[in-house]
């Protein structure tokens, strides 16, 4: 199946355009913009890990290594398009408009942590594996029904493809000609379980055949391949030609999450090195830009400073913000609070003294 | 006004609402060309077209989940789960996604959708068709659970459910679909969700029921009233979640004696919660322990045994007498 | 995809062997045995529909038209193999050893209706669509673990392939190299929903690609194609070469079930005729046997008489058998009845007077 | 004897049983090479091999469902659902298949399997990890539901669950995994399923709890006893289904005052059923309404809010005082 679904690569690991390939037409401005965002994620990831270790953040699933997937895909969309992310897709979510401070509130578990600003077309990160694929199918179906030329894009991992809900989501989307892009970040592992034990299929892309859907396999660490492929899939979707399953091959450089995962228990050191040194998505794009005269050490240092300041402002803002009270949360169970819940709300208010 | 069965009233509710609001769509297995296995959606695809009434693939999580997203983006989907026992197939989409989206997003999104599902014993259906699983959803904050017991209520409650900005699980009792006809207004009207109905006033005992158990309780009450010269108050809950405790408490204050009837199994059922709340707030008013008339704690039995397993008129009579004779 | 998965046919609609095809090596005895069973099902189906209309049976899902699938598949197995049927697969279930009377108890909903005799390797018919595919995966996995050379075969419909559980079952089986055969009876409809609205994939067989599983498409009304294909799949499974997805193209001649389904609402009369007249599995096998001198009008008349007598004995036996009592059923909730259930059992016994 | 945490006791239970019976297998996400996300299955794959301890695909219905079939065919699978909130993903395989197979087949098949799952508030996990969904399964006949509250009980109850010929849902409280150490015998022993444990006798109030709420109740009780000069009886249910009502009734007969504590939400929770049963059989013994100390009826809150949402020592103290002061 690897020959039916060859891995599309435009930018090779040395930062050179692969022979015969044409990079997407992007202005210098746009190229720098993409790099800037990938680099921002790199800084965000490193600092978030640090903040987590300091106990200043809560649940965090490192995204380092997957920057090309998240920025390439999000950048190929319009702001009017919708993204349905998983817990690991804070990068794409921030690119699409979720402020850093929002992601930190979510991570820490503060009130409003999942309240994404009204003008950002983003669902909250999904924890229950693969449920978001169904939501993206529903959204893409709605766009077709209402003749809206939006696209719904959802991110999910290689492990997610084993869930029944992945199957239902893709099947619905194909039948309904939903304007949906299923973006699979195949980072080779579902926590500790390698792809070979997850499925007996050689590729994820070939699973599209089960749905009579277009499937494509790309180098997920190649920003050009990601950007170009998502752009094409979005065009197809907008034209009413149906959904696409994109398998983007990538690697998470860090642990699964910061809640005690130790990758040395399940993956070889050499493999990590290979991806870190040889296939890094940020590095290869930097080499490309450098060759084009679009990158400099000073620019990057500036970017780093800027991002660090933003993060530090964000975490400080978030730590000063209220954590939230149970009685406030009760307002969000229903649009109007039923009588019995109102009664409980009063009871909850009375706890404030009793609790310890 | 027209004489309607419950299934006609349900069909009519969807029709009048779909005429009003083009964001209302219907989706589910066999709801389109076939008009539903009970004909609840009969004629809707013809009238509103294939872009508003959908025969979906056979996948309940897909049905509910796509509806959740569409609802969050401004549609008002009416999803059908073909039989009540199949809710297990879409438990996460109901309980984690539909019921929680408003809460999870601090109110940014809402999920104005209805999940219709037939349930209820007596129709001799195969396994997993007749089960009463409402207690699961009473224990799930964020979703409303509605049980019409008459054609009139069915239309009014379904319209209320469609207009509600929160997800509503709408339970349709199979034996009631065609067994009763009633005058039902032709225009739209609302029977409010969250408000119980005092079907019949009485002074000595309060019987609390919902769905088909209301009809059965009426018969049992008639018998006991005749035999004992007492009067029995009958409350049709109409809504299981949220529970209208005010109506229940008012009645308990009068009668001091309570019988709860449901066809779900006993342990962990709706009756347990009602009794716990009465205990919490009205214990001093009680003249006798509250009695539960329910199915026993087993899986739903084979079809020919169901009538012996479900609450019967005789068992409700016995329950009322028990609470009277304490 | 129809060329990647061409429909295997050995016996054509006229009862002739397709050019270049070799029928399975079967003795005359075995050939007559197969026909006898297919014909028995045809009689069973007609009579069960009648009994249902008379109110003497309960839930019944007609299997007429699918006899070659059910007999061909079951006959290719050993008695030591396990079958995981759906509600429509009473034919295969009876072939495998479930007495007619058992199926009638099940249909009517009498006590013990699902109690299949201890020596018959059969799960009770599954009502919840696609759950049995997971069970068959589990059973086939167990056989591999325990070095048992049994096979687990499960039947399911075209509609069932949309359920998430179908996906999980097939994926597990492929990863675990389960000794499982997934036998899809593609009869073109899930109640009223035609295959084109069920899935956007051209065939069911191609869904195997998603699992790195062998998939094959056959004429499900051709007893030879079914028998041969299941035999081969069973051999592969026993040899530890993994599971197979078989798509058998067939048609149910009757309604979905006897509970009010009206096929004229959703399928063209002409289509029914075409399958009934042109593609009937029993007729075509009869023509073949007749040409071989293995069939006669008298033999068939005898078979019919025999089967009718068996059915009439079965339904009478079943109608005389006890329906069951709730207190008896309570014994089967747990191995040992817990104290609180015992108390309820006493209460239940006290109802016997009160109930009406 | 060895000092063990609960996670060690759980690991040990599986190890000693797997040594005894080679039909016992372990399956789930990350349970093999990684030894489980909490290390509950640490070392098992090394000791028993890849043909007895399986890293499965990420599919809960597949995990539970394959285990159901294997159990029916003579294996004794221990399946892990990685976090308690994910049971929705395999609700049908748990409730329709595992819990019903014995009943459906008139006893021909049995399903001797265990589903282990971590749950419980206080560990600041993301959504759907900490939720207490046990009430759903109490309302599901055919499956037993077990909650150890100490390392000793955890080992004994898990061994009992593994040896049980019915499916057992085994809830492991995350904050208890490593917070307590206790002497635990090295050999196999059984703590019987279905029997509650009177942790501490008392004459004035009965507190009923399970899981982590037992520990919290102990602290609350100590405070109230000191402040009020009363004695409080503490019952650790250990098993939610079946419920050991004899132990509860004996205690109520003594104290006449009841507080039920659980971290699940209130409506339709385990507390409701216990109170309903006390009402049915011991109403005349009650000196005060039974009190529920539970989470309020909302979805599980964000991590930093959970401590304000869950029952606290202070809230249990208040509950005990409320029932004392009635
Ligand atoms: C339904 C469900 N099952 C299990 C989990 C626990 N879990 C969280 S992430 C994860 C692995 C996901 O792997 P993959 O889909 O490859 O995504 P990745 O984390 O690699 O980005 C698991 C098992 C969950 N959150 N939801
Ligand atoms: C989970 C679930 N959803 C829905 C149903 C209702 N139902 C019973 S049969 C059926 C159609 C099945 O179609 P298919 O799989 O093609 O099998 P066929 O009946 O054609 O043999 C449906 C929707 C069910 N029994 N279980
Ligand atoms: Mg992954
Ligand atoms: Mg079919």
């Amino acid at each position: 199946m690897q020959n039916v679904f060859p891995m599309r690569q435009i930018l090779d690991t040395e930062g050179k355009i692969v022979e015969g390939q044409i990079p997407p037409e992007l202005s210098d401005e746009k190229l720098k913009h993409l790099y800037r965002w990938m680099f921002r994620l790199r800084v965000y990831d490193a600092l978030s890990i640090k903040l987590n270790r300091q106990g200043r953040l809560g649940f965090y699933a490192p995204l380092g290594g997957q920057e090309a997937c998240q920025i390439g895909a999000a950048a190929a969309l319009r702001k009017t398009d919708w993204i349905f992310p998983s817990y690991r897709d804070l990068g794409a979510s921030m690119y699409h408009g979720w402020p850093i401070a929002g992601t930190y509130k979510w991570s820490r578990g503060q009130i409003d942590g999942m309240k994404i600003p009204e003008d950002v077309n983003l669902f909250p990160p999904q924890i229950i594996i693969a449920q978001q694929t169904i939501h993206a199918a529903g959204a893409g179906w709605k766009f077709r029904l209402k003749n809206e030329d939006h696209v719904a894009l959802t991110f999910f991992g290689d492990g997610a493809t084993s869930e029944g809900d992945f199957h239902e989501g893709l099947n619905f989307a194909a039948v309904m000609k939903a304007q949906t892009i299923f973006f699979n970040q195949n980072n080779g592992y579902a926590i500790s379980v390698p792809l070979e034990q997850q499925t007996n299929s050689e590729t994820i892309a070939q699973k599209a055949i089960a749905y009579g859907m277009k499937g494509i396999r790309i180098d997920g660490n190649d920003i050009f391949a990601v950007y170009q492929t998502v752009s094409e899939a979005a065009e197809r979707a907008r034209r009413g030609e149906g959904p696409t399953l994109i398998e983007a091959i990538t690697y998470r450089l860090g642990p699964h999450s910061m809640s005690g995962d130790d990758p040395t228990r399940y993956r070889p050191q050499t493999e990590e090195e290979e991806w870190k040194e040889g296939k890094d998505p940020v590095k290869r794009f930097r080499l490309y830009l450098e060759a084009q005269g679009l990158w400099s050490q000073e620019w990057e240092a500036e970017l780093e400073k800027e991002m660090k300041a933003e993060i530090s402002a964000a975490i400080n803002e978030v730590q000063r913000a209220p954590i939230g009270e149970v009685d406030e949360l009760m307002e969000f169970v229903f649009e109007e609070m039923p009588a019995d819940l109102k009664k409980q709300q009063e009871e909850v208010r009375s706890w404030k003294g009793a609790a310890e | 006004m027209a004489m309607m069965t419950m299934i006609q009233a349900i069909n009519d509710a969807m029709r009048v609402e779909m005429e009003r609001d083009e964001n209302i769509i219907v989706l589910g297995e066999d709801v389109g060309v076939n008009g539903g296995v009970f004909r609840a959606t009969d004629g809707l695809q013809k009238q509103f077209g294939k872009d508003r009434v959908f025969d979906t693939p056979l996948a309940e999580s897909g049905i509910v989940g796509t509806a959740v997203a569409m609802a969050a983006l401004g549609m008002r989907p009416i999803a059908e789960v073909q039989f009540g026992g199949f809710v297990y197939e879409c438990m996460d989409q109901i309980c984690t996604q539909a019921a929680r989206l408003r809460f999870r997003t601090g109110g940014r999104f809402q999920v104005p959708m209805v999940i219709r599902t037939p349930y209820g014993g007596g129709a001799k259906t195969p396994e997993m068709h007749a089960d009463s699983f409402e207690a699961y959803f009473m224990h799930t904050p964020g979703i409303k659970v509605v049980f019409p017991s008459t054609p009139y209520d069915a239309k009014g409650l379904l319209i209320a459910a469609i207009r509600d900005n929160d997800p509503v699980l709408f339970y349709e009792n199979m034996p009631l679909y065609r067994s009763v006809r009633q005058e039902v207004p032709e225009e739209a009207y609302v029977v409010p969700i969250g408000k119980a109905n005092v079907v019949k006033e009485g002074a000595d005992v309060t019987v609390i029921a919902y769905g088909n158990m209301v009809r059965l309780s009426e018969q049992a009450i008639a018998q006991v009233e005749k035999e004992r010269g007492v009067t029995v108050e009958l409350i049709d809950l109409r809504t299981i979640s949220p529970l209208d405790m005010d109506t229940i408490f008012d009645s308990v204050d009068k009668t001091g004696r309570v019988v709860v009837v449901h066809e779900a199994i006993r342990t962990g059922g709706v009756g347990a919660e009602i009794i716990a709340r009465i205990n919490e707030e009205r214990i001093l008013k009680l003249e006798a322990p509250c009695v539960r008339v329910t199915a026993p704690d087993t899986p739903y039995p084979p079809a020919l045994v169901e009538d012996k397993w479900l609450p019967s008129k005789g068992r409700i009579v016995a329950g009322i007498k028990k609470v009277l004779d304490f």
Side-chain angles (χ1 to χ4, degrees), chain A, chain B:
Chain A
M1 276 292 154
Q2 300 225 7
N3 30 342
V4 183
F5 295 96
M7 187 179 80
R8 182 184 200 180
Q9 194 187 55
I10 298 176
L11 190 66
D12 73 13
T13 52
E14 309 298 316
K16 304 236 157 57
I17 299 300
V18 174
E19 228 190 279
Q21 294 289 334
I22 303 157
E25 276 185 42
L26 295 166
S27 66
D28 289 354
E29 218 43 46
K30 186 72 186 251
L31 287 171
K32 288 184 68 176
H33 165 82
L34 292 178
Y35 183 79
R36 175 171 173 270
W37 266 98
M38 283 175 65
F39 186 75
R40 281 166 70 81
L41 294 200
R42 190 50 65 93
V43 175
Y44 176 86
D45 192 56
L47 260 64
S48 299
I49 289 173
K50 209 161 131 191
L51 287 169
N52 172 286
R53 293 220 171 96
Q54 294 167 349
R56 298 176 75 192
L57 273 191
F59 173 78
Y60 181 67
L63 54 77
Q66 305 186 195
E67 295 89 349
C69 286
Q70 298 201 18
I71 296 306
L77 300 180
R78 306 173 182 162
K79 286 291 161 198
T80 42
D81 294 329
W82 281 79
I83 295 182
F84 295 80
S86 87
Y87 49 87
R88 201 180 301 289
D89 309 310
L90 302 182
S93 302
M94 288 187 289
Y95 184 94
H96 209 56
W98 200 10
I100 298 172
T103 68
Y104 281 173
K105 274 193 190 172
W106 175 76
S107 164
R108 289 165 51 84
Q110 281 174 235
I111 197 164
D112 287 351
M114 277 172 280
K115 184 163 183 160
I116 289 154
E118 300 278 343
D119 61 345
V120 180
N121 288 353
L122 180 70
F123 254 48
Q126 182 63 248
I127 290 291
I128 298 295
I129 303 291
Q131 296 290 345
Q132 74 273 24
T133 59
I134 298 183
H135 297 157
W141 178 13
K142 186 248 175 181
F143 300 147
R144 184 180 66 66
L145 287 182
K146 290 292 185 179
N147 283 313
E148 295 165 338
D149 73 342
H150 312 319
V151 161
L153 181 144
T154 181
F155 292 102
F156 54 97
D158 41 311
T161 65
S162 294
E163 286 281 4
D165 288 309
F166 160 83
H167 179 72
E168 298 193 13
L170 269 76
N171 190 50
F172 258 75
V175 169
M176 302 303 178
K177 288 217 179 310
Q179 296 170 192
T180 304
I181 301 172
F182 296 97
F183 193 96
N184 173 248
Q185 291 176 84
N186 176 359
N187 62 13
Y189 292 86
I191 307 187
S192 70
V193 180
L195 188 62
E196 313 85 71
Q197 277 172 263
Q198 196 62 246
T199 181
N200 199 44
S201 82
E202 222 181 316
T203 70
I204 301 284
Q206 76 196 62
K207 291 179 188 281
I209 295 174
Y211 312 106
M213 188 186 287
K214 191 172 166 56
I216 177 163
R217 206 155 146 268
I218 66 174
D219 182 341
N221 283 9
D222 166 0
I223 181 79
F224 289 158
V226 174
Y227 183 89
Q228 185 62 30
T229 305
V230 173
S231 299
E232 289 162 9
E235 279 319 301
R236 291 187 59 246
R238 291 188 219 283
R239 283 197 307 265
E241 291 167 23
T244 306
L245 170 62
I246 300 172
E247 174 189 2
I249 296 166
T250 185
Y251 198 79
R252 73 168 144 76
L253 297 174
H256 168 73
S257 80
M258 297 306 295
S259 319
D261 184 55
D262 173 8
T264 66
R265 291 177 73 95
Y266 55 80
R267 57 184 201 189
Q269 197 73 30
T270 50
E271 185 184 280
E272 284 188 31
E273 291 307 319
E274 184 191 322
W275 283 90
K276 195 169 195 153
E277 297 309 316
K279 298 182 182 173
D280 188 273
V282 181
K283 181 176 147 201
R284 101 167 70 159
F285 193 29
R286 191 194 69 215
L287 290 173
Y288 175 81
L289 291 184
E290 203 172 2
Q292 312 283 314
L294 294 171
W295 182 90
S296 73
Q297 190 69 58
E298 304 75 59
W299 181 51
E300 184 159 308
E302 206 176 285
L303 288 182
E304 185 169 355
K305 218 176 97 189
E306 169 194 300
M307 186 60 174
K308 281 184 165 166
E310 282 182 47
I311 285 174
S312 142
I315 187 73
N316 287 328
E317 170 196 335
V318 163
Q319 286 195 300
R320 275 193 311 268
I323 283 172
E325 294 293 336
V326 178
D327 56 333
E328 291 171 56
L329 290 176
M330 293 176 98
E331 305 278 348
F332 300 122
V333 181
F334 294 107
E335 182 176 45
E336 278 178 66
M337 208 182 290
D340 58 351
L341 201 58
K342 224 172 233 155
K343 211 161 169 184
Q344 275 196 20
Q345 193 184 36
E346 279 156 37
E347 189 192 323
V348 165
R349 287 184 179 137
S350 79
W351 298 344
K352 289 187 186 167
E356 61 180 81
Chain B
M1 294 280 232
M3 290 298 282
M4 289 190 198
T5 60
M6 191 187 275
I7 195 92
Q8 289 168 329
I10 286 166
N11 183 277
D12 196 50
M14 289 189 270
R15 186 186 319 275
V16 296
E17 286 296 282
M18 290 179 81
E19 282 167 356
R20 184 185 56 77
D21 181 352
E22 62 173 24
N23 284 323
I24 299 171
I25 58 169
V26 167
L27 69 163
E29 296 154 12
D30 307 290
V31 299
V33 171
N34 202 33
V37 290
F38 291 101
R39 311 285 173 259
T41 53
D42 199 21
L44 297 182
Q45 191 176 70
K46 212 166 208 167
Q47 181 173 349
F48 300 104
K50 291 205 168 191
D51 264 5
R52 289 186 64 197
V53 181
F54 300 91
D55 283 320
T56 66
L58 208 178
E60 289 75 15
S61 188
I63 293 168
V64 175
T66 53
V68 166
M70 289 199 279
L73 298 185
M75 307 292 284
R76 303 189 81 87
I78 306 174
E80 179 176 304
V81 172
Q82 200 165 65
F83 288 95
F86 312 159
V87 291
Y88 287 143
E89 272 28 68
C90 43
M91 210 64 185
D92 189 83
Q93 285 292 351
I94 298 176
C95 299
T96 306
Q97 313 300 333
R100 291 189 184 212
L101 193 61
R102 180 188 295 280
F103 184 85
R104 296 172 69 216
T105 61
R108 157 136 197 223
F109 292 107
Q110 61 184 19
V111 185
M113 68 182 278
V114 182
I115 302 171
R116 295 180 37 251
T117 196
Y119 84 101
K124 304 227 181 314
T125 48
E127 287 184 284
M128 302 305 297
H129 283 57
D131 299 68
S132 290
F133 287 156
E134 64 275 10
Y136 295 140
F137 303 102
M138 169 188 242
H139 189 60
T140 304
I143 186 158
K144 298 179 181 177
V145 185
V146 170
F147 278 85
S149 71
T150 66
Y152 180 90
D153 282 7
K155 181 169 172 184
L157 284 167
L158 184 50
I159 291 177
I162 292 169
R163 295 181 184 180
D164 203 291
N165 283 332
D166 285 303
V168 178
L169 183 51
F170 193 83
Y171 270 106
E172 304 172 2
N173 186 279
M174 285 186 270
L176 284 180
Y177 265 152
R178 294 190 162 81
S179 58
V180 192
R181 285 179 171 276
Q182 195 182 16
E183 292 272 7
V184 173
E186 270 157 74
E187 64 282 3
Y189 61 92
V190 157
V191 172
I193 291 174
K195 191 83 201 72
N197 179 31
V198 179
V199 178
K200 177 190 163 308
E201 298 203 7
D204 302 300
V205 179
T206 302
V207 173
I208 301 168
Y210 53 95
N212 198 16
M213 294 299 105
V214 175
R215 186 191 52 79
L216 212 58
S217 297
E218 276 178 322
Q219 298 167 10
I221 288 170
Q223 180 179 328
V224 179
E225 289 188 336
K226 216 164 87 186
E227 281 180 39
R228 292 293 183 93
V230 294
T231 62
V232 180
E233 183 143 310
L234 175 59
I235 296 177
D236 175 357
L237 286 177
R238 276 185 179 154
T239 304
I240 297 310
S241 184
L243 267 178
D244 176 6
M245 290 311 297
D246 290 339
T247 300
I248 293 173
F249 287 150
D250 284 350
S251 185
V252 176
D253 287 344
K254 265 199 307 194
T255 65
R257 296 176 199 271
V258 177
V259 177
V260 189
V261 187
H262 56 65
E263 44 181 309
I265 66 157
R266 183 173 307 166
T267 293
V270 170
E273 179 60 31
I274 291 174
I275 295 173
R277 292 193 190 184
I278 291 173
N279 166 285
E280 275 158 2
E281 309 215 19
R282 289 299 192 278
I283 200 167
L284 296 180
K285 299 277 182 180
L286 287 182
E287 307 280 348
C290 303
V291 165
R292 290 187 278 184
V293 179
T294 68
D297 290 336
T298 78
Y300 201 95
L304 287 184
V305 185
E306 69 180 344
D307 287 340
K308 304 184 197 178
W309 183 85
L310 292 162
S312 62
K313 179 182 155 195
R315 283 176 54 208
I316 302 173
V317 166
I320 299 174
K321 288 181 180 170
K322 185 172 173 190
V323 82
L324 273 171
D325 296 342
F326 181 78

